[in-house]
Amino acid sequence: MWQLAEFSMQIGWDGLRLTRGGCAAAHLTISEGGYVVAYNVYLLNDIRLIFQSADKSRVEHAAGMLRRMGVDAEVKKMGWVWYVQAYTDILATGREELRKAVADIVREAAARGWVDGKRAERWLKKLEGAVRRGWPKYLVRVMRSGALEIRFAS
């Protein structure tokens, strides 16, 4: 459990499990002023944090809590369900306490053999490195032909 003194928020996680589809998942909870939001964290090809509900106001509150944790979060709708989600790179821009809680989930899943070790290392490097929000990512390499390739990734 991580305590954020300046915001009086608490972060914790529990319920690490394998889904029927075979991916590791856990519940990440953020609480503030007696209000608790339980997000689902899925470890697939990337880390996905998701909160969904038919009640838009609950999802807006969940998105607000993520924003206070330094994560860009936008409420969206699919069918009749409202949701907010954040992926690996966005989570890596968040406050240290959030990044540590997500990193703990990744470490435990890797220790149980539910996540590939190399993938877990890559995620942990991002989470522990505090990615700067808004900075573009580029792939720069020399091709076999000798040409310089520069690719932008958001």
Side-chain angles (χ1 to χ4, degrees):
M1 180 76 69
W2 299 95
Q3 176 81 29
L4 283 76
E6 66 185 84
F7 290 108
S8 70
M9 295 177 84
Q10 291 185 337
I11 302 173
W13 66 274
D14 66 355
L16 185 62
R17 65 203 182 281
L18 277 178
T19 65
R20 280 184 241 145
C23 78
H27 298 289
L28 180 101
T29 56
I30 301 176
S31 60
E32 176 183 43
Y35 195 87
V36 178
V37 177
Y39 303 87
N40 288 309
V41 177
Y42 298 99
L43 307 179
L44 300 158
N45 292 328
D46 51 11
I47 302 170
R48 295 183 188 179
L49 179 140
I50 301 172
F51 180 85
Q52 60 186 19
S53 174
D55 184 350
K56 183 180 180 182
S57 65
R58 290 185 64 215
V59 178
E60 287 174 340
H61 188 81
M65 290 181 96
L66 285 175
R67 283 187 212 105
R68 286 190 292 285
M69 294 301 304
V71 173
D72 289 333
E74 182 182 331
V75 175
K76 296 181 181 179
K77 186 177 183 182
M78 183 170 55
W80 56 272
V81 176
W82 293 92
Y83 68 95
V84 61
Q85 63 185 355
Y87 294 92
T88 311
D89 291 344
I90 298 297
L91 292 170
T93 67
R95 293 180 54 87
E96 180 181 9
E97 297 84 358
L98 175 64
R99 291 184 286 115
K100 284 183 177 180
V102 174
D104 288 346
I105 294 169
V106 171
R107 278 190 202 91
E108 183 62 29
R112 294 183 187 187
W114 294 349
V115 174
D116 176 65
K118 288 183 181 181
R119 181 175 291 159
E121 285 178 30
R122 190 175 67 244
W123 289 341
L124 291 170
K125 183 178 177 183
K126 288 181 180 184
L127 292 167
E128 293 167 352
V131 175
R132 290 185 178 182
R133 183 181 308 131
W135 283 53
K137 294 189 310 183
Y138 294 93
L139 167 69
V140 179
R141 66 181 176 182
V142 177
M143 303 297 288
R144 289 183 188 172
S145 66
L148 179 64
E149 177 185 23
I150 301 173
R151 285 192 186 176
F152 171 76
S154 59

